[in-house]
Amino acid sequence: MLESFSVRIFTMYPRYSVRFVAFIVLFIVAIIYMSIDRPTSCLTWNDVDTDRTHNRHRIRKMNGDSNIRSFERIPGHDYGYIHNPRNTCRGDDDQQELVFLLFLVMSTPQETKRREAIRATYANESNWPIMKEGNIRTVFLIGDVDAHDYTIQDAINGEMYYYGDIVQSTEFVDDPVNQTRKILMGFRWVGVHCRHARYVIKIDDRSMVNQRALLKHLNRKNPFLHKFILGDVVTKVRVTRDKRNWDYIPREIYPNPTLPPYIIGTGYVLSPDLAQAIYQVSHRIPVFPNTDAYVGLCLQKLGIKLTKTVDIYFSKRIGYDYIGREAIDIFDRSIVVPYVPESKMYLTWRLGQL
Ligand SMILES: *[C@@H]1O[C@H](CO)[C@@H](O)[C@H](O)[C@H]1NC(C)=O
Ligand SMILES: *[C@@H]1O[C@H](CO)[C@@H](O)[C@H](O)[C@H]1NC(C)=O
């Protein structure tokens, strides 16, 4: 078939014959290449996002094999840590310190710059007023790095040496499909090492904190809250049953057509006892990569009803090009500002600083 086709072209366009044959051959090779059955499942991060430099939001390829493994159960035994700053919430005398806020930052090995920006802004205690309610503490959660990336691991070791604020697991590779494991590691860590904190703030390393809004809205007079969670709630989202999507959830794990109400993970506040309870109930729910839905499912299993927050935001973006009244209004009500470009981290902090 190939021959007779090219012969016709020869006779029709003798002058272009060589180029045409080359083109046809390439075309056929391309067709054959595309039709080969390779694993094509693609993990895509669903969030609207234009910042392509960020790893977690890149389109990732994953093969069927890791797809299966990502639904393993979280093992019941303790996590192993490469780094564990166990004294974060304790004083030099090993006594519990008063901790008002613990920031639990979902980070990735490569995001050194963002961690730096966070250490200079909300994680820096000298940027907060002195509060009788206690101190501000921050830990960054990251997974294991590929054995080949020893330069990255060296850099992380250095950060740990200087700042002592990295919780790094040996139990899972740091990868978008393993985000759920990461947050569960964080919640477990809270339960063991910082249960006495007043509030835990789970936050993405791409989000920034609005100090003014945070201190205004967190009730400082109340004593300790129990089974408390505050964030932007999403309801009635359809479950993805397409295996090629990153947020696929097998029917065997969750049969209902719509997800339980869940809180958007860019940032939320919870009480440490709830963090611990989520970790404990997670032993009964096989892990899947859609972290926010997973935590939502844990909350449902714990019998915690979520209601939408009014007047305060944890996941509303602000624009940096045009700062009009509306943008200022949104910012003023945002406890957490999500998707902050790296270059705007400091600016966003200063906008909200007391
Ligand atoms: C925290 O803030 C203080 C005072 O502004 C500054 O001297 C210090 O270098 C900051 N720490 C970090 C880690 O940025
Ligand atoms: C996720 O973590 C598991 C171990 O818990 C690991 O086997 C797997 O390779 C990780 N996934 C990816 C894509 O790295």
Coordinates of all heavy atoms in Angstrom, one line a residue, residues 66 69 72 171-175 177-178 181, ligand 2:
S66 N 2.0 2.4 39.8 CA 2.0 3.4 40.9 C 0.6 3.7 41.2 O 0.3 4.1 42.4 CB 2.9 4.6 40.6 OG 2.3 5.3 39.5
R69 N -0.5 1.2 43.7 CA 0.2 1.4 45.0 C -0.3 2.6 45.7 O -0.3 2.6 46.9 CB 1.7 1.5 44.8 CG 2.3 0.1 44.8 CD 3.8 0.3 44.7 NE 4.2 0.5 43.3 CZ 5.2 1.3 43.0 NH1 5.9 1.9 43.9 NH2 5.5 1.4 41.7
E72 N -2.9 1.9 48.5 CA -2.6 1.1 49.6 C -3.1 1.7 50.9 O -3.2 2.9 51.0 CB -1.0 1.0 49.8 CG -0.4 0.0 49.0 CD 1.1 0.2 49.1 OE1 1.6 1.0 50.0 OE2 1.9 -0.3 48.3
E171 N 8.6 7.2 54.5 CA 7.6 6.2 54.2 C 7.0 6.4 52.8 O 6.3 5.5 52.3 CB 6.5 6.3 55.2 CG 7.0 6.0 56.6 CD 6.9 4.5 56.9 OE1 5.8 3.9 56.7 OE2 7.8 4.0 57.5
F172 N 7.1 7.6 52.2 CA 6.5 7.7 50.9 C 7.4 8.7 50.1 O 8.1 9.6 50.7 CB 5.1 8.3 51.0 CG 5.0 9.6 51.7 CD1 5.1 10.8 51.0 CD2 4.8 9.6 53.1 CE1 5.0 12.0 51.7 CE2 4.8 10.8 53.8 CZ 4.9 12.0 53.1
V173 N 7.4 8.5 48.8 CA 8.1 9.4 47.9 C 7.3 10.7 47.8 O 6.1 10.7 47.6 CB 8.3 8.8 46.5 CG1 9.0 9.7 45.6 CG2 9.1 7.5 46.7
D174 N 8.0 11.8 47.8 CA 7.3 13.1 47.7 C 6.8 13.3 46.2 O 7.6 13.4 45.3 CB 8.2 14.3 48.0 CG 7.4 15.5 48.4 OD1 6.7 16.0 47.4 OD2 7.3 15.9 49.5
D175 N 5.5 13.1 46.1 CA 4.9 13.1 44.7 C 3.5 13.6 44.9 O 2.9 13.3 45.9 CB 5.0 11.7 44.2 CG 4.6 11.6 42.7 OD1 3.3 11.6 42.5 OD2 5.4 11.7 41.9
V177 N 0.8 12.3 43.9 CA -0.1 11.2 44.2 C 0.0 10.9 45.7 O -0.9 10.2 46.3 CB 0.1 9.9 43.4 CG1 -0.1 10.1 42.0 CG2 1.4 9.2 43.7
N178 N 1.1 11.3 46.4 CA 1.3 11.0 47.8 C 0.9 12.1 48.7 O 1.3 12.0 49.9 CB 2.7 10.4 48.0 CG 2.8 9.0 47.4 OD1 1.9 8.3 47.4 ND2 4.0 8.7 47.1
R181 N -0.8 11.0 51.9 CA 0.1 10.4 52.9 C 0.8 11.5 53.7 O 1.1 11.4 54.9 CB 1.1 9.6 52.3 CG 0.6 8.3 51.6 CD 1.6 7.7 50.7 NE 1.0 6.7 49.9 CZ 0.6 5.5 50.3 NH1 0.9 5.1 51.5 NH2 0.0 4.7 49.5
Ligands
LIG2 C1 4.1 7.1 46.8 O1 4.5 6.5 47.9 C2 4.7 5.1 47.8 C3 5.1 4.6 49.2 O2 4.2 4.9 50.2 C4 5.7 4.8 46.8 O3 5.8 3.4 46.7 C5 5.3 5.4 45.5 O4 6.4 5.2 44.6 C6 5.0 6.8 45.7 N1 4.5 7.3 44.4 C7 5.3 8.0 43.6 C8 4.6 8.3 42.3 O5 6.4 8.3 43.9

